[in-house]
Amino acid sequence: MLLVVASISIGTAAQSYIKTTYRRWSAVESDGASGSQVARRMLDEFGCGQVGIKPVAGSLTDHYDPQDKNLYLSEENRAGGSVASVAVACHEAGHAVQHAQGFAMMRIRTALVPAVNFTQSIWFYVLLGGMWLNLSGLTTAAIVLFAFSVLFHLVTLPVEIDASRRAIAYIDASGMSPANAAGAREVLRAAALTYVAAALTSVLQLLYLIGRNRSRD
Ligand SMILES: [Zn+2]
């Protein structure tokens, strides 16, 4: 029970922090260039001229797709020129640069995607089956399957932090005012916290599953 409450609180706190931080810096205009324009300059500077920038529906749906090598920016961050828009656009450009440079953690993360999609879809059914049939081998297998998700969250962390590090380095070098650059840093730090929260929650869940399995034995 405590674990469920802790997990939900951590997740909710991280989500509300990114939302308020993003909203605050969305109201502050940067130097006039839109998120898409600054991302384009960053991509070109790092030899990613072939990476396209496309619109995507929704809010904070921004991502880089390594399959088709495009940045997908939400309308607010693509056309808008707020400090938050530039921060998010440069973070996504950071992922494209990671991809182009063969950043090891990103390669590992991409390689894990098919396995994690599979384990995520079946682990809970394996756990239910193990409990139903009272087979400890099956519940242990379910925990091993769940551990792939935990691993994925842990590998995601350095990938996200590195993309933000690249974005901040570019923003600092691009001549954004120190006050606005500090705002961009704040937005990206808040975004990173959501990944830390997700990783922490998954570790807690794993520990809970292991503990439960032990006490059953
Ligand atoms: Zn990212």
Side-chain angles (χ1 to χ4, degrees), residues 32-118:
S34 69
S36 141
Q37 286 168 330
V38 181
R40 180 75 270 155
R41 288 204 293 259
M42 180 175 164
L43 288 169
D44 292 344
E45 188 164 310
F46 287 94
C48 297
Q50 80 289 357
V51 173
I53 299 178
K54 296 193 168 171
V56 64
S59 177
L60 286 178
T61 44
D62 312 76
H63 63 280
Y64 168 68
D65 187 340
Q67 304 286 329
D68 67 6
K69 293 189 176 173
N70 281 315
L71 288 196
Y72 288 90
L73 299 180
S74 60
E75 202 47 35
E76 191 177 2
N77 294 334
R78 193 183 68 87
S82 71
V83 169
S85 300
V86 170
V88 172
C90 287
H91 169 94
E92 300 311 333
H95 283 308
V97 176
Q98 288 175 332
H99 189 208
Q101 295 181 353
F103 183 59
M105 292 312 269
M106 190 195 212
R107 287 221 303 267
I108 295 170
R109 186 181 185 275
T110 308
L112 275 171
V113 169
V116 170
N117 282 341
F118 174 70

